[in-house]
């Protein structure tokens, strides 16, 4: 994993809260203020931004990019997924089941999108072109798991992050059955303790948890043993002010450092 750190900022770029990266290196972010915008940082250093309302999106909650480099945004008000190309032309929309949504990730191995629907306690699997949607995992039987606001998936392993319970559930799925172990504890200082974990990524052999109110991004091994953490409140190169979400690809990790108005 690379150890170098860079800051990604732009004029007017404030309060990023969701991020994804295309196979060609386009960094796409959703921001909260002063307007709800989408930003595309092109590999040639050009930056394009647009008001989400102009794209017909009422309340963007989650973002992903599929294998065709299409941007997929979940609109929490219309309760649908909307596909755009990198020029922000709308190409497709799909109505979702349920009415409340927590997390969305695209998994390259299966070419599928995965969305947690909070009021149904289900993770749905959606084809990347929106042609099919199906139940993938019902987590209602997992004790203490109710609000899946972060998820990551690799092969038959599903990691669910419950922000309200400050808990991570590591689920192995096989032949219609599953095994689950619970990890993390509520507390300050990090090192396996979290206060408001908001996103989880799989990066190489690491499980990465972004802890919003402890201002840390924590790294765990494949067995969820704590290894190290980066952060602490501040504006410095190794500090965060609300690391709300991240995106992992190859050996790179991108983090939305929300109140510092940057991606690192």
């Amino acid at each position: 994993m690379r150890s170098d750190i860079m800051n990604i900022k732009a004029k007017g770029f404030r309060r990023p809260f969701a991020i994804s990266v295309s196979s060609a290196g386009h960094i796409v972010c959703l921001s909260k203020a002063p307007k709800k915008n989408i930003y595309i940082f092109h590999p040639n250093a050009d930056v394009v931004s647009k008001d989400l309302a102009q794209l017909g999106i009422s309340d963007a909650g989650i973002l992903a990019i599929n294998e065709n480099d299409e941007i997929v945004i979940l609109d929490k008000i219309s309760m649908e997924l909307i596909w755009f190309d990198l020029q922000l032309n709308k190409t497709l929309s799909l109505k979702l089941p349920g009415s409340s949504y927590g997390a969305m990730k695209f998994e390259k191995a299966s070419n599928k999108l995965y969305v947690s629907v909070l009021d149904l306690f289900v993770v749905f699997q959606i084809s990347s072109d929106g042609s099919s949607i199906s139940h993938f995992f019902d987590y209602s039987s997992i004790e203490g798991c109710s609000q899946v606001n972060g998820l990551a998936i690799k092969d038959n392993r599903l990691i669910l992050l419950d922000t309200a319970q400050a808990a991570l559930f590591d689920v192995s799925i096989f032949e219609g059955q599953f095994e689950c172990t619970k990890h993390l504890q509520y507390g300050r200082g990090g090192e396996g303790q979290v206060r408001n974990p908001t996103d989880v990524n799989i990066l190489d052999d690491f499980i990465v948890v972004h802890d919003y109110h402890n201002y840390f991004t924590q790294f765990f091994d494949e067995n969820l043993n704590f290894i190290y953490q980066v952060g602490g409140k501040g504006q410095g190169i190794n500090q965060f002010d609300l690391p709300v979400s991240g995106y992992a690809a190859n050996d790179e990790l991108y983090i939305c450092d929300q109140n510092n108005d940057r991606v690192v």
Side-chain angles (χ1 to χ4, degrees):
M1 185 179 64
R2 289 170 48 183
S3 60
D4 55 306
I5 298 175
M6 65 178 180
N7 289 335
I8 300 170
K9 305 187 76 167
K11 183 178 179 180
F13 181 60
R14 298 190 61 211
R15 303 301 189 260
F17 68 91
I19 183 170
S20 193
V21 181
S22 77
S23 61
H26 302 83
I27 300 169
V28 183
C29 290
L30 301 179
S31 69
K32 288 187 174 181
K35 293 183 178 180
K36 297 178 180 179
N37 281 7
I38 183 169
Y39 284 81
I40 302 179
F41 297 84
H42 290 264
N44 64 2
D46 288 345
V47 181
V48 175
S49 67
K50 196 163 187 178
D51 189 332
L52 287 166
Q54 295 178 354
L55 299 178
I57 296 175
S58 302
D59 188 4
I62 320 172
L63 167 73
I65 297 178
N66 66 15
E67 81 282 7
N68 296 319
D69 284 348
E70 294 172 306
I71 301 166
V72 187
I73 298 174
L74 193 155
D75 188 331
K76 294 187 291 184
I77 299 299
S78 66
M79 296 177 288
E80 62 182 351
L81 294 180
I82 305 173
W83 278 251
F84 298 89
D85 62 24
L86 286 170
Q87 288 72 48
L88 295 177
N89 300 303
K90 181 178 176 180
T91 60
L92 179 70
S93 64
L94 175 69
K95 194 75 172 179
L96 289 172
S99 60
S100 180
Y101 312 99
M104 177 171 65
K105 290 288 172 69
F106 173 73
E107 192 212 10
K108 292 182 180 179
S110 64
N111 286 336
K112 304 288 186 183
L113 291 160
Y114 295 84
V115 178
S116 62
V117 180
L118 304 183
D119 52 317
L120 301 179
F121 306 98
V122 170
V123 174
F124 282 89
Q125 182 186 73
I126 302 163
S127 60
S128 65
D129 62 359
S131 61
S132 65
I133 181 169
S134 61
H135 279 68
F136 177 73
F137 184 72
D138 184 332
Y139 58 88
S140 61
S141 63
I142 299 178
E143 183 177 357
C145 184
S146 59
Q147 298 290 309
V148 174
N149 299 110
L151 68 84
I153 184 167
K154 184 177 181 180
D155 301 324
N156 66 338
R157 185 180 194 181
L158 178 65
I159 297 175
L160 305 175
L161 191 66
D162 189 319
T163 298
Q165 301 298 322
L168 182 152
F169 299 89
D170 186 10
V171 182
S172 297
I173 304 171
F174 50 95
E175 297 181 353
Q177 304 296 316
F178 73 92
E179 294 180 353
C180 177
T181 55
K182 182 179 178 181
H183 302 267
L184 303 181
Q185 293 181 346
Y186 181 84
R188 298 176 183 269
E191 300 187 1
Q193 293 187 331
V194 294
R195 291 176 62 204
N196 193 24
T198 48
D199 197 12
V200 59
N201 303 116
I202 298 175
L203 175 65
D204 298 329
D205 296 329
F206 297 98
I207 308 298
V208 185
V209 175
H210 306 283
D211 186 8
Y212 191 71
H213 282 156
N214 270 341
Y215 308 101
F216 287 119
T217 289
Q218 301 189 37
F219 292 76
F220 301 82
D221 67 17
E222 289 184 318
N223 297 315
L224 275 304
N225 298 304
F226 174 80
I227 302 176
Y228 68 95
Q229 62 194 23
V230 179
K233 188 174 183 180
Q235 298 179 344
I237 195 68
N238 288 314
Q239 295 177 311
F240 298 125
D241 191 352
L242 303 184
V244 64
S245 67
Y247 178 85
N250 301 320
D251 62 347
E252 295 182 323
L253 179 67
Y254 300 81
I255 302 170
C256 285
D257 187 9
Q258 188 174 94
N259 280 2
N260 281 328
D261 302 324
R262 66 185 181 183
V263 171
V264 299

